[in-house]
Amino acid sequence: MPPDAVKEVFGCTVVQRVSRISAAQRTLEGEHAAHPLFKDPLGAELGGPYGMAVATRGLELFEEECGAGLHTYLAVRTYAVDQAIKAGVQELQARFPSASHIQVMGLGAGMDTRPWRLQGLGDVVWFDVDAASALSAKLRKLTEAGAQIEGAQGLSSTTPVPPQYPLLCKSYSTVAWDVLARGAAQTTLKEALTKPATQAHTAEPGSEPAIEQAIAQPAVSFDPALPTVWVGEGIGMYMARIESVISLWQDAARLSPPGGAKVVLTVTSGEVRAAYQRGIKEKNLPTSLAFCDYTHSLEDFVTGGATTPDSPNLMHELGWHLDALSGDFQHMDLPAEREQSPRIYPYFGSYVVNDYLKKLDTFERLAVFSRM
């Protein structure tokens, strides 16, 4: 791996590194899939040398095993979440036509690029919710790439006119709150969204003042009275504590008007937990998964093994009704116009050490909820 790629992620958490790899994988979908599900050139900018090096090598291994032109698992998951977000926004717009705007809360957003990639957001006010260090790194890369950032005080002056990557929603803001943090000192989501802006964030050492101001004093504040889409993509595998899951979605419900919010959530399968624990027991675990928390399955917490919207589940107790639960992303139906396109690379290739993980038929699904 190039030295600059290693230097770029020095001091980053493993989760932050994964977010860079995911960003790069989105770019590779547009460049290498025979019939791309989307285009995301900004992903390469946010992924940086490290993300592009790791993602490119992973794609090479898949192509050696399965052939070229297929969709990556990450790309299919991204596409599914895209469609669910747009459907949620459209539903809330139709239900609340007098609302000034719809809010989208990207929980643990990482290097997500939807505000600059996803068409049809219109009057949406987008919030990225993540650790302060992750937001600082992202805003720095966005400004370097020439992405338009409306509402980020002190940053818009560096954006080229016209911007290299125009903002496709009404505005973009950030909330410094670590979805994955643990311990009594961690604030709740409700506290993070209702604190005065100047109290909600502590500057990162060595960070740029303009970026810190954008995080600490967003021009747009979250409004719990407005319709909201809550997005939890790829965060479940890192949330092992039931208390954290309950606190997160309980706060989201309390911060949402009855009937005026949706949750778009990727759900980690219980089969992964079993394979993961078996791999630990037999010391047969890929290092790429050694940081994940599979002590429990988010599927247990969120759906209780539910297969229909009427099945009992924890989210129902917290105020959320299960509208839909998809099949696994590896077997997801793609749009009709792409029926003849190549299919999907497996989540794990043959180079994965753990045979149990490699043979999994179910890894993740998409759950959509409505605020009751």
Side-chain angles (χ1 to χ4, degrees):
M1 183 176 294
D4 61 331
V6 177
K7 181 180 179 181
E8 182 190 37
V9 295
F10 182 77
C12 289
T13 67
V14 175
V15 177
Q16 290 169 1
R17 294 185 187 191
V18 170
S19 75
R20 297 183 184 217
I21 298 170
S22 298
Q25 286 180 316
R26 295 194 305 269
T27 295
L28 294 179
E29 166 72 11
E31 295 178 350
H32 291 267
H35 301 276
L37 295 170
F38 52 81
K39 299 278 189 176
D40 188 7
L42 180 56
E45 305 277 4
L46 300 190
Y50 173 83
M52 288 301 295
V54 176
T56 300
R57 180 52 184 154
L59 182 61
E60 290 171 351
L61 291 171
F62 275 129
E63 289 179 340
E64 291 173 8
E65 180 180 350
C66 306
L70 281 69
H71 304 294
T72 63
Y73 176 96
L74 185 280
V76 174
R77 186 183 80 179
T78 298
Y79 176 80
V81 174
D82 284 354
Q83 302 311 302
I85 291 173
K86 290 198 292 186
V89 168
Q90 291 169 3
E91 180 181 329
L92 293 176
Q93 286 173 332
R95 191 179 299 170
F96 299 90
S98 61
S100 60
H101 58 267
I102 306 295
Q103 300 171 134
V104 175
M105 309 299 292
L107 303 173
M111 295 295 180
D112 181 33
T113 59
R114 287 187 176 93
W116 301 271
R117 176 179 63 77
L118 193 58
Q119 299 288 335
L121 294 181
D123 290 334
V124 164
V125 170
W126 191 287
F127 295 85
D128 272 352
V129 183
D130 211 332
S133 58
L135 294 175
S136 294
K138 182 174 185 175
L139 288 173
R140 187 177 304 110
K141 283 184 169 292
L142 287 170
T143 55
E144 290 172 354
Q148 180 184 13
I149 309 175
E150 294 294 338
Q153 296 182 15
L155 295 180
S156 58
S157 61
T158 64
T159 304
V161 180
Q164 183 70 27
Y165 300 99
L167 195 63
L168 301 182
C169 56
K170 185 174 183 178
S171 70
Y172 170 79
S173 294
T174 58
V175 177
W177 184 71
D178 191 349
V179 178
L180 306 179
R182 304 174 184 182
Q186 165 71 342
T187 60
T188 65
L189 175 62
K190 185 177 181 180
E191 290 170 337
L193 291 178
T194 56
K195 274 184 179 180
T198 54
Q199 299 178 20
H201 171 61
T202 301
E204 291 292 304
S207 57
E208 299 172 22
I211 288 177
E212 291 306 323
Q213 182 185 11
I215 297 174
Q217 298 178 340
V220 180
S221 297
F222 172 79
D223 186 345
L226 287 173
T228 303
V229 177
W230 302 86
V231 183
E233 180 185 11
I235 62 175
M237 64 185 68
Y238 308 111
M239 300 183 73
R241 297 177 64 247
I242 181 64
E243 296 84 1
S244 299
V245 177
I246 291 175
S247 175
L248 172 61
W249 298 115
Q250 188 174 58
D251 277 357
R254 290 171 175 171
L255 293 165
S256 302
K262 307 285 287 189
V263 166
V264 175
L265 180 66
T266 57
V267 180
T268 309
S269 168
E271 293 182 29
V272 178
R273 175 190 57 188
Y276 182 83
Q277 292 177 338
R278 202 167 176 183
I280 291 177
K281 184 178 180 180
E282 300 182 13
K283 297 182 179 179
N284 180 15
L285 184 71
T287 56
S288 61
L289 292 180
F291 59 88
C292 294
D293 288 327
Y294 290 118
T295 307
H296 304 285
S297 164
L298 189 62
E299 186 176 45
D300 297 337
F301 300 155
V302 172
T303 68
T307 56
T308 69
D310 295 327
S311 302
N313 59 82
L314 175 61
M315 287 290 275
H316 189 277
E317 297 176 16
L318 299 178
W320 299 99
H321 177 266
L322 179 61
D323 295 336
L325 185 63
S326 77
D328 189 78
F329 293 124
Q330 293 181 102
H331 311 294
M332 183 163 287
D333 291 332
L334 298 178
E337 64 268 21
R338 297 188 178 93
E339 284 182 352
Q340 303 304 315
S341 67
R343 298 308 294 166
I344 305 165
Y345 291 119
Y347 190 90
F348 299 109
S350 61
Y351 54 89
V352 172
V353 178
N354 188 327
D355 288 337
Y356 306 116
L357 288 170
K358 186 170 63 178
K359 294 176 181 178
L360 283 180
D361 188 58
T362 302
F363 188 79
E364 265 185 315
R365 299 187 288 171
L366 180 68
V368 178
F369 300 85
S370 291
R371 177 72 169 93
M372 293 189 295

